[in-house]
Amino acid sequence: MATGKLSKLTIFSASGIQMRTFHITWLTFFVCFFGWFGIAPLMPIIREDLHLTKPQIGNAIIAAVSITVFARLIVGRLCDTIGPRITYTGLLVLGAIPVLGIGLSHSYESFLWFRLAIGVIGASFVITQFHTSAMFADTIKGTANAVAGGWGNLGGGVTNMVMPLILGAFVAAGYTKPEAWRLAMLVPGVMLLVMAVVYYRFTKDTPEGNYAEINRSNTVDANPVSFGKAAADWRVWALFLAYGACFGIEITFDGVAALYFTDTFKLDLATAGLLAGIFGFMNIFARALGGIVADKVGVKHGMRGKGILLATMLLLEGLGIMLFSQTGSIALAVTVMLGFAMFLKMANGATYAIVPFVNKRAVGAVSGIVGAGGNVGGVLAGFLFKSESISYGQAFLYIGIAVAVVAMVVAVTRFEKKPVPEPVVEFA
């Protein structure tokens, strides 16, 4: 069995611990996203069942992403110390509990608490990126991270498409809609528990083995630097802002898209869910493309080139969101959505093509801080959507402006790094 970090990504292979871990980690992240946002496409039904107001729905959106800020910081440090395998297994079991239990909600207050607890699952992203970075060489880290993250994020699109169908199946079986949405949430909860078993049994912390099985004294991550030292680097906080402006907006859009299309264009639940799902489904290629392009730019122009690429993607994303906020027809809205979604998801991939190189002795800590930035962005955007005085269209306009400002900050931040050899991707 080959050990050591792989210098190429053979995405249709599951041979070796590196590729097996790669496929298990993105699939696990997919299931986490499915559970994290499984409730979102059902919100029109839940709103009616629990008699939720617009501010209450906004609070639920904020709750879903707020606790993830702290969870990502914690799991990032745990990955550095006890390893990604045990960390991910524990997170999956912990996250499954509120997903399975949210059906017990019969009031706004209990629903809000369950929605808050479910947000812990969002920390799965940090472990996914950490574990992928541990399996691949510098030449291909950005690509591998982007593919794993993108395919995992795909769960946010698939859940928008599938959960209304699962609800419909329960309704067809004779259950009322208030009963059906509760039963539907059992599906992602069970999926999370299954993946906990799979992750524990079939992955390793490193290509050489689990942390408890190997001598880490000669490795670059054997003595991780303190969290404070990792956080003292301004580049980390520039990436924190960048990820808030791309991934933070993605998770916000995942949470409000079905409601937005239902209320603005008077679509039925299934159609609104389908359109919202298309946004998430673009992760099958768009985030990966961002990572691939970033790796190639890095070969010729180093980390400075990666930084300019990221700033460009963010600027185009911001302009697209501003345009989306002004659309008056469903056809134009979907067309513009596809445009800004492309740049947003490429920015996600480009961000994590930079993260592993900021501090190689604190990859987990840096990943956790930057990942938390995504959720801070989601929380701040969520406050706009809970306001009674601001329409959803106005909220998108303000978000677009904020993203463009962040692009300027990233553009003036220098991410210098010597060029590395050309990355190799094999589809075999």
Side-chain angles (χ1 to χ4, degrees), residues 293-306 417-423:
V293 172
D295 276 345
K296 291 185 177 295
V297 168
V299 170
K300 294 184 178 180
H301 304 289
M303 296 299 284
R304 177 60 175 163
K306 287 186 178 183
K417 188 75 176 181
K418 292 182 179 180
V420 294
E422 183 77 21

Side-chain angles (χ1 to χ4, degrees), residues 211-263:
Y211 283 6
E213 303 166 347
I214 62 175
N215 180 6
R216 300 176 65 211
S217 60
N218 295 322
T219 62
V220 71
D221 60 347
N223 299 296
V225 301
S226 68
F227 181 87
K229 189 171 183 179
D233 191 335
W234 162 245
R235 296 174 299 168
V236 174
W237 296 102
L239 293 172
F240 175 96
L241 292 174
Y243 207 56
C246 51
F247 183 73
I249 307 311
E250 176 172 0
I251 58 178
T252 300
F253 197 85
D254 281 333
V256 305
L259 274 174
Y260 177 75
F261 285 127
T262 299
D263 293 348

Side-chain angles (χ1 to χ4, degrees), residues 123-146:
S124 57
F125 169 75
V126 174
I127 314 174
T128 296
Q129 298 292 281
F130 181 96
H131 214 170
T132 304
S133 294
M135 295 293 167
F136 292 92
D138 290 356
T139 55
I140 200 72
K141 276 190 202 299
T143 299
N145 280 343

Side-chain angles (χ1 to χ4, degrees), residues 142-186:
T143 299
N145 280 343
V147 173
W151 288 1
N153 283 355
L154 187 60
V158 172
T159 195
N160 272 298
M161 296 177 176
V162 173
M163 287 303 287
L165 300 179
I166 295 175
L167 179 142
F170 280 113
V171 171
Y175 293 96
T176 65
K177 287 184 178 181
E179 293 170 334
W181 77 258
R182 292 174 166 84
L183 292 171
M185 286 302 294
L186 296 178

Side-chain angles (χ1 to χ4, degrees), residues 64-421:
V65 298
S66 58
I67 198 172
T68 316
V69 175
F70 306 102
R72 287 188 171 189
L73 295 173
I74 293 170
V75 301
R77 191 58 178 171
L78 288 175
C79 285
D80 282 329
T81 53
I82 68 173
R85 172 174 162 267
I86 296 297
T87 303
Y88 222 147
T89 301
L91 181 68
L92 288 163
V93 173
L94 181 65
I97 296 172
V99 175
L100 291 168
I102 195 169
L104 300 174
S105 301
H106 291 277
S107 68
Y108 159 68
E109 290 77 15
S110 61
F111 180 78
L112 184 65
W113 279 110
F114 274 111
R115 199 71 184 98
L116 179 69
I118 288 174
V120 172
I121 302 171
S124 57
F125 169 75
V126 174
I127 314 174
T128 296
Q129 298 292 281
F130 181 96
H131 214 170
T132 304
S133 294
M135 295 293 167
F136 292 92
D138 290 356
T139 55
I140 200 72
K141 276 190 202 299
T143 299
N145 280 343
V147 173
W151 288 1
N153 283 355
L154 187 60
V158 172
T159 195
N160 272 298
M161 296 177 176
V162 173
M163 287 303 287
L165 300 179
I166 295 175
L167 179 142
F170 280 113
V171 171
Y175 293 96
T176 65
K177 287 184 178 181
E179 293 170 334
W181 77 258
R182 292 174 166 84
L183 292 171
M185 286 302 294
L186 296 178
V187 175
V190 171
M191 292 166 63
L192 288 165
L193 292 176
V194 170
M195 291 313 300
V197 176
V198 171
Y199 215 92
Y200 183 80
R201 292 193 59 184
F202 298 108
T203 70
K204 296 287 187 180
D205 290 325
T206 74
E208 291 75 27
N210 295 320
Y211 283 6
E213 303 166 347
I214 62 175
N215 180 6
R216 300 176 65 211
S217 60
N218 295 322
T219 62
V220 71
D221 60 347
N223 299 296
V225 301
S226 68
F227 181 87
K229 189 171 183 179
D233 191 335
W234 162 245
R235 296 174 299 168
V236 174
W237 296 102
L239 293 172
F240 175 96
L241 292 174
Y243 207 56
C246 51
F247 183 73
I249 307 311
E250 176 172 0
I251 58 178
T252 300
F253 197 85
D254 281 333
V256 305
L259 274 174
Y260 177 75
F261 285 127
T262 299
D263 293 348
T264 304
F265 301 106
K266 311 305 178 186
L267 302 179
D268 60 73
L269 187 65
T271 303
L274 176 63
L275 294 178
I278 292 173
F279 173 84
F281 205 80
M282 290 180 66
N283 276 303
I284 198 170
F285 67 90
R287 182 168 184 146
L289 182 61
I292 292 169
V293 172
D295 276 345
K296 291 185 177 295
V297 168
V299 170
K300 294 184 178 180
H301 304 289
M303 296 299 284
R304 177 60 175 163
K306 287 186 178 183
I308 294 299
L309 173 68
L310 175 58
T312 302
M313 294 299 100
L314 289 170
L315 179 60
L316 293 173
E317 173 202 341
L319 294 175
I321 295 173
M322 290 182 225
L323 180 58
F324 177 79
S325 72
Q326 303 302 306
T327 56
S329 71
I330 186 62
L332 183 58
V334 172
T335 301
V336 176
M337 178 190 75
L338 295 177
F340 85 72
M342 184 71 177
F343 298 123
L344 180 155
K345 294 168 194 298
M346 286 186 68
N348 285 338
T351 301
Y352 271 82
I354 298 174
V355 165
F357 302 98
V358 172
N359 190 329
K360 291 188 176 182
R361 292 179 59 199
V363 175
V366 175
S367 294
I369 293 170
V370 176
N375 288 85
V376 170
V379 169
L380 295 176
F383 279 108
L384 293 175
F385 288 102
K386 68 168 285 186
S387 173
E388 296 249 19
S389 60
I390 299 175
S391 70
Y392 279 7
Q394 290 173 313
F396 281 122
L397 177 61
Y398 299 151
I399 287 170
I401 294 171
V403 171
V405 171
V406 171
M408 298 299 102
V409 174
V410 173
V412 299
T413 302
R414 303 190 67 85
F415 300 99
E416 285 83 357
K417 188 75 176 181
K418 292 182 179 180
V420 294

Side-chain angles (χ1 to χ4, degrees), residues 3-68:
T3 59
K5 297 185 178 184
L6 296 183
S7 59
K8 59 183 179 181
L9 178 64
T10 51
I11 61 175
F12 292 124
S13 170
S15 176
I17 187 61
Q18 300 93 333
M19 288 309 303
R20 185 169 78 235
T21 297
F22 169 80
H23 285 298
I24 291 175
T25 196
W26 78 253
L27 181 60
T28 303
F29 185 38
F30 176 98
V31 172
C32 288
F33 235 85
F34 194 96
W36 191 11
F37 289 100
I39 207 74
L42 309 182
M43 282 304 297
I45 300 296
I46 298 169
R47 175 175 59 184
E48 181 180 349
D49 179 32
L50 301 182
H51 308 291
L52 301 179
T53 64
K54 185 171 182 276
Q56 289 174 336
I57 293 172
N59 288 336
I61 294 170
I62 294 169
V65 298
S66 58
I67 198 172
T68 316

